[in-house]
């Protein structure tokens, strides 16, 4: 029997710290349900002290998830620990994750605290957290640049205070595998009672080594890895869950532990996170990229046809790649629609949202012969968003492009209940459409990113457009899907404007 490797997913917390990736409560619940299906052991659902909305989202996730432990992040302060403790209260199994920076540069320049004060704050916070749960994790932020003696001292102190999991983060993505493995080994050897706690690692990808560093930690005794779906996260992201899980599974000859992840749920989880956050997956991304199992060269194709294992170390179906599953068509009724949503674990509590999603489905089915699960996920996202806030709504769009002529677009919008029309020219039909929208809304935003991906294959597939807008330091991603990518673009733009309109300010845990 292999030892257990605990998978701690922080897509809903560290992943959410990616620019524009902030999620609504409903979106977090949808992702949490998929993480539970995937078999994630711990779901870090957010940072309760960030805002009342964040605390509420953690509480809602804690109410619906049964099999995974639900965790909230907290700084080592009384108010943060209490906010986290209250938020995880409804969970069947709840964890509080306390962190404080331990490197000289962070203690001096950011916290402006003496090392003794840092130890005191950590111990006090752990003891307070025990009022809410006995499952306490402690992280020494920026452990990579912390002094070994100080790490040993603070970890010893928090074990005595009651912490059960000790996390060693490479907060700035600075380490390299051999050094990181060595650091974990030394800590386990030097901290008194280290055998009574679970050692964990949390690596960022600034030098592209988050997964390699995490695996080095595992090879040296870490039994929890903190990671995110698609490697989403601050800056260059976190270690990617799918790569860690598949490395440990595929190279079982070198790892003495294994996770309990149902790997066939990996690709659906990747697609869901990508569609909700607006972060597309690059085609050559390991495991979940569209080309991860595609063999282009003739020699490779020939080898795979003769004997699959000549060029394949994993099977595409084992990580959830299957031919797009035909779900519904034009003649499918409301019952079939509802049943498929249930099978996908999509729970829509509000009847208006169900009606809206069904109307969108019928409209899509008129234009697209076959509707796949991915199409359903996209249209449900739109219906949920439409229900929460739609100050700006697309009424109609006409775009025209012809070789030799400047593309033009006419947009009709409903803004807070009133209709407005605008015409514009542009470099292309999408540009003309955005300019026409701006004539009406005059938002003053900056467009930071525009990208189009196909949701399924074929020329009748829906295009999923992501736009990233920023205004006054706030950044949001908007998504829109349609078989017409100009319409999808307009929807994405308006979705982002609606988010800018409605999203409240939140505190950032590390600032
Ligand atoms: O990167 C980091 O150090 C973190 C901690 C809060 C664990 O995200
Ligand atoms: Zn982090």
């Amino acid at each position: 029997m292999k030892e257990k490797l605990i998978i701690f997913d922080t897509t809903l917390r560290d992943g959410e710290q990616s620019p524009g990736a902030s999620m609504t409560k409903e979106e977090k619940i949808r992702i949490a349900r998929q993480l539970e299906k995937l078999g994630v052991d711990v779901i870090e659902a957010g940072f309760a002290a960030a805002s009342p909305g964040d605390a509420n989202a953690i509480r809602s996730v804690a109410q619906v998830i049964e099999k995974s432990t639900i965790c909230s992040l907290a700084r080592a302060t009384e108010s943060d620990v209490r906010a986290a403790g209250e938020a995880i209260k409804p969970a069947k199994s709840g964890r509080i994750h306390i962190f404080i920076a331990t490197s000289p540069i962070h203690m001096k320049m950011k916290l402006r605290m003496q090392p003794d004060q840092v130890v005191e704050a950590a111990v006090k916070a752990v003891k307070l957290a025990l009022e809410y749960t006995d499952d306490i994790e402690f992280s020494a932020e920026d452990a990579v640049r912390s002094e070994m003696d100080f790490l040993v001292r603070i970890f010893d102190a928090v074990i005595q205070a009651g912490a059960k999991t000790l996390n060693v983060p490479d907060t700035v993505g600075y380490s390299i595998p051999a050094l990181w493995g060595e650091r974990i080994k030394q800590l386990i050897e030097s901290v008194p009672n280290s055998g009574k706690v679970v050692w964990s690692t949390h690596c960022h990808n600034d030098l592209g080594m988050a997964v390699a560093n995490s695996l080095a930690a595992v090879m040296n005794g870490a039994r929890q890895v903190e990671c995110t779906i698609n490697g989403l996260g601050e800056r260059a992201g976190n270690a990617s869950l799918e790569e860690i899980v598949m490395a440990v599974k595929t190279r079982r000859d070198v790892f003495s532990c294994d996770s309990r992840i149902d790997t066939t749920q990996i690709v659906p989880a990747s697609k869901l996170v990508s569609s909700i956050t607006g972060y597309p997956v690059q085609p050559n991304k390991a495991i979940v990229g569209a080309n991860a199992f595609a063999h282009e060269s003739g020699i490779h194709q020939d080898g795979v046809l003769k004997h699959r294992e000549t060029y394949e170390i994993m099977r595409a179906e084992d990580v959830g790649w299957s031919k797009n599953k035909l779900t519904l068509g034009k003649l499918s009724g409301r019952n079939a629609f509802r049943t498929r949503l249930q099978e996908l674990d999509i729970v829509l509590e509000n009847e208006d949202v169900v009606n809206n999603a069904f109307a969108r489905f019928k409209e899509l089915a008129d234009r697209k012969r076959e509707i796949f699960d991915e199409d359903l996920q996209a249209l449900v996202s739109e219906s949920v968003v439409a229900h929460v806030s739609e100050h700006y709504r697309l009424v109609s769009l006409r775009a025209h492009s012809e070789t030799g002529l400047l593309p033009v677009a006419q947009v009709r919008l409903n803004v807070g209940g009133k209709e407005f029309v605008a015409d514009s020219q542009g470099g292309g039909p999408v540009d003309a459409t955005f300019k026409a929208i701006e004539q009406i809304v005059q938002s003053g935003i900056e467009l930071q990113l525009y990208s189009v991906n196909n949701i399924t294959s074929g020329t009748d597939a829906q295009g999923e457009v992501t736009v990233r807008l920023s205004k006054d330091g706030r950044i949001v991603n908007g998504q829109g899907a349609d078989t017409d990518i100009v319409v999808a673009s307009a929807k994405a733009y308006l979705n982002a404007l609606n988010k800018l309109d409605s999203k409240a300010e939140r505190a950032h845990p590390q600032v």
Side-chain angles (χ1 to χ4, degrees):
M1 264 295 271
K2 295 223 174 212
E3 282 178 64
K4 180 176 176 184
L5 178 63
I6 298 168
I7 299 296
F8 176 114
D9 180 279
T10 182
T11 307
L12 301 181
R13 197 280 296 172
D14 219 328
E16 202 194 19
Q17 289 174 211
S18 316
S22 89
M23 298 167 225
T24 63
K25 181 178 88 179
E26 287 72 19
E27 289 168 339
K28 282 199 168 187
I29 292 175
R30 276 174 73 201
I31 293 180
R33 286 188 195 278
Q34 178 59 31
L35 294 175
E36 183 180 40
K37 220 168 161 181
L38 188 62
V40 159
D41 299 287
V42 185
I43 299 175
E44 188 164 54
F47 168 47
S51 71
D54 278 46
N56 190 22
I58 299 170
R59 207 171 302 117
S60 305
V61 169
Q63 271 158 2
V64 299
I65 297 300
E66 303 202 328
K67 295 192 201 124
S68 314
T69 295
I70 302 304
C71 171
S72 169
L73 184 69
R75 289 167 298 197
T77 64
E78 174 170 355
S79 55
D80 269 36
V81 172
R82 291 210 185 280
E86 292 300 327
I88 59 156
K89 258 189 186 160
K92 281 213 160 134
S93 157
R95 173 180 294 191
I96 299 178
H97 176 191
I98 295 164
F99 79 101
I100 192 162
T102 51
S103 62
I105 180 171
H106 273 231
M107 289 192 287
K108 185 162 174 227
M109 309 305 289
K110 184 180 87 168
L111 298 177
R112 304 216 164 97
M113 284 166 87
Q114 294 301 321
D116 287 352
Q117 293 175 302
V118 169
V119 176
E120 196 188 321
V123 167
K124 210 165 144 196
V126 169
K127 286 187 177 159
L128 177 64
L130 287 168
E131 284 182 20
Y132 297 89
T133 169
D134 59 4
D135 187 350
I136 312 296
E137 171 168 337
F138 173 78
S139 282
E141 190 193 7
D142 202 20
V144 68
R145 293 184 295 174
S146 302
E147 283 160 11
M148 197 47 145
D149 289 351
F150 187 62
L151 281 180
V152 172
R153 177 179 164 204
I154 197 163
F155 280 143
D156 177 23
V158 293
I159 293 180
Q160 289 187 46
K164 295 281 186 321
T165 302
L166 299 188
N167 184 38
V168 191
D170 179 2
T171 305
V172 288
Y174 181 64
S175 201
I176 57 172
L179 296 183
W180 200 238
E182 188 52 34
R183 179 151 280 233
I184 301 293
K185 188 165 166 242
Q186 264 186 33
L187 282 169
I188 296 177
E189 281 169 4
S190 320
V191 173
N193 292 311
S194 68
K196 293 196 176 141
V197 294
V198 174
W199 287 87
S200 166
T201 193
H202 173 117
C203 298
H204 279 268
N205 205 30
D206 299 65
L207 292 173
M209 286 185 279
V211 168
N213 287 333
S214 303
L215 293 175
V218 173
M219 294 189 87
N220 283 280
R223 286 295 173 265
Q224 173 176 288
V225 174
E226 302 199 353
C227 44
T228 57
I229 303 290
N230 300 336
L232 194 69
E234 280 270 3
R235 307 180 309 278
N238 288 61
S240 107
L241 179 147
E242 56 278 7
E243 292 175 24
I244 287 170
V245 166
M246 289 315 291
V248 172
K249 185 178 160 104
T250 308
R251 295 308 310 268
R252 48 170 71 86
D253 54 328
V254 291
F255 287 98
S256 57
C257 55
D258 201 359
S259 76
R260 307 253 166 97
I261 294 293
D262 173 359
T263 59
T264 62
Q265 292 298 327
I266 285 179
V267 169
S270 162
K271 289 190 173 177
L272 183 64
V273 168
S274 168
S275 129
I276 285 181
T277 59
Y279 272 73
V281 175
Q282 75 197 54
N284 57 333
K285 162 89 176 61
I287 321 288
V288 293
N291 295 349
F293 292 87
H295 297 279
E296 187 63 26
S297 101
I299 297 173
H300 287 206
Q301 285 175 354
D302 179 55
V304 169
L305 286 175
K306 284 181 178 141
H307 186 78
R308 192 174 180 158
E309 275 142 45
T310 48
Y311 286 101
E312 279 190 6
I313 56 163
M314 299 168 276
R315 298 186 323 159
E317 52 272 38
D318 289 349
V319 297
W321 283 109
S322 53
K323 284 219 168 308
N324 295 328
K325 198 159 157 223
L326 175 61
T327 300
L328 300 167
K330 197 179 159 104
L331 299 177
S332 309
R334 216 185 158 78
N335 251 343
F337 178 73
R338 255 185 202 281
T339 308
R340 189 60 201 147
L341 292 189
Q342 274 163 11
E343 283 164 4
L344 288 172
D345 274 342
I346 300 177
V347 182
L348 299 176
E349 270 141 27
N350 189 301
E351 203 49 30
D352 287 349
V353 179
V354 180
N355 292 338
N356 186 301
F358 185 65
R360 281 174 200 256
F361 157 71
K362 279 295 191 190
E363 200 240 320
L364 178 63
D366 272 341
R367 284 178 290 132
K368 189 171 185 284
R369 210 162 41 87
E370 299 167 325
I371 310 280
F372 299 102
D373 289 346
E374 291 84 349
D375 293 312
L376 284 184
Q377 293 280 13
L379 68 84
V380 165
S381 294
E382 285 192 345
S383 304
V384 172
V385 169
H387 179 71
V388 177
S389 68
E390 247 196 347
H391 181 63
Y392 301 109
R393 190 166 52 80
L394 182 67
V395 178
S396 64
L397 164 62
R398 197 163 67 210
H400 182 80
S401 58
E402 193 176 325
T403 32
L405 291 181
L406 258 187
V408 288
Q410 183 181 77
V411 171
R412 183 179 293 269
L413 293 188
N414 183 309
V415 183
K418 270 195 182 157
E419 275 192 20
F420 298 87
V421 187
D423 294 88
S424 183
Q425 292 186 325
V430 172
D431 187 43
T433 301
F434 287 2
K435 285 185 170 136
I437 293 176
E438 272 306 316
Q439 273 184 32
I440 299 171
V441 303
Q442 311 214 341
S443 67
I445 55 86
E446 186 196 330
L447 176 67
Q448 291 197 335
L449 175 142
Y450 172 82
S451 83
V452 191
N453 285 281
N454 49 330
I455 293 186
T456 54
S457 48
T459 48
D460 73 340
Q462 290 199 88
E464 187 168 53
V465 173
T466 300
V467 300
R468 183 171 305 151
L469 305 184
S470 78
K471 189 177 178 191
D472 303 333
R474 283 177 64 213
I475 300 175
V476 293
N477 289 341
Q479 291 84 42
D482 203 279
T483 48
D484 178 332
I485 58 161
V486 183
V487 175
S489 304
K491 285 182 179 173
Y493 197 90
L494 294 173
N495 177 230
L497 286 178
N498 280 323
K499 284 186 179 173
L500 268 179
D501 216 45
S502 67
K503 275 200 178 128
E505 288 300 328
R506 311 157 64 219
H508 186 299
Q510 282 151 319
V511 177

